Amino acid sequence: MKFINALVVKLVDTKDLKSLVYFLSLFNIFFLNFSPVHAYVGPGMGGGLIAATLGIILAIFAALFAIVWFPFKRFLKKRKNNRDNENKKI
């Protein structure tokens, strides 16, 4: 709520009434427009939703980890091979 208050204060400080009206209209449409929903999300559907969300998040982290880890692993292997070659020369 502090973010919204700060944003409203910023808009009021600039004396830009059009922006303030636009912001309040969007805020009303997205956050204050309540309507009754006659739906039931059972435990199976809720569990499936949580599992799918966690799966997507873990897949993103696994992809980011692979992007970072495999070049680093290749660098470590080259470094080890260079050290082994230097030791063989001596």
Side-chain angles (χ1 to χ4, degrees):
M1 197 68 180
K2 290 180 184 180
F3 170 74
I4 294 168
N5 289 338
L7 190 58
V8 170
V9 168
K10 180 182 174 191
L11 290 172
V12 171
D13 285 344
T14 60
K15 304 284 191 242
D16 192 3
L17 187 59
K18 188 175 180 181
S19 294
L20 180 63
V21 170
Y22 181 72
F23 169 74
L24 292 176
S25 297
L26 286 177
F27 184 79
N28 184 26
I29 289 169
F30 289 115
F31 296 108
L32 299 178
N33 189 10
F34 298 113
S35 62
V37 177
H38 302 289
Y40 172 71
V41 177
M45 184 66 158
L49 181 66
I50 291 170
T53 304
L54 289 176
I56 290 170
I57 291 170
L58 287 174
I60 290 170
F61 280 120
L64 292 175
F65 179 75
I67 289 170
V68 172
W69 174 248
F70 288 114
F72 184 69
K73 186 175 157 183
R74 189 179 321 129
F75 168 74
L76 291 177
K77 188 175 180 180
K78 283 183 183 180
R79 195 171 102 183
K80 181 182 175 194
N81 288 339
N82 288 340
R83 283 187 183 171
D84 290 343
N85 289 339
E86 288 176 8
N87 289 338
K88 288 179 184 178
K89 289 179 183 178
I90 297 175

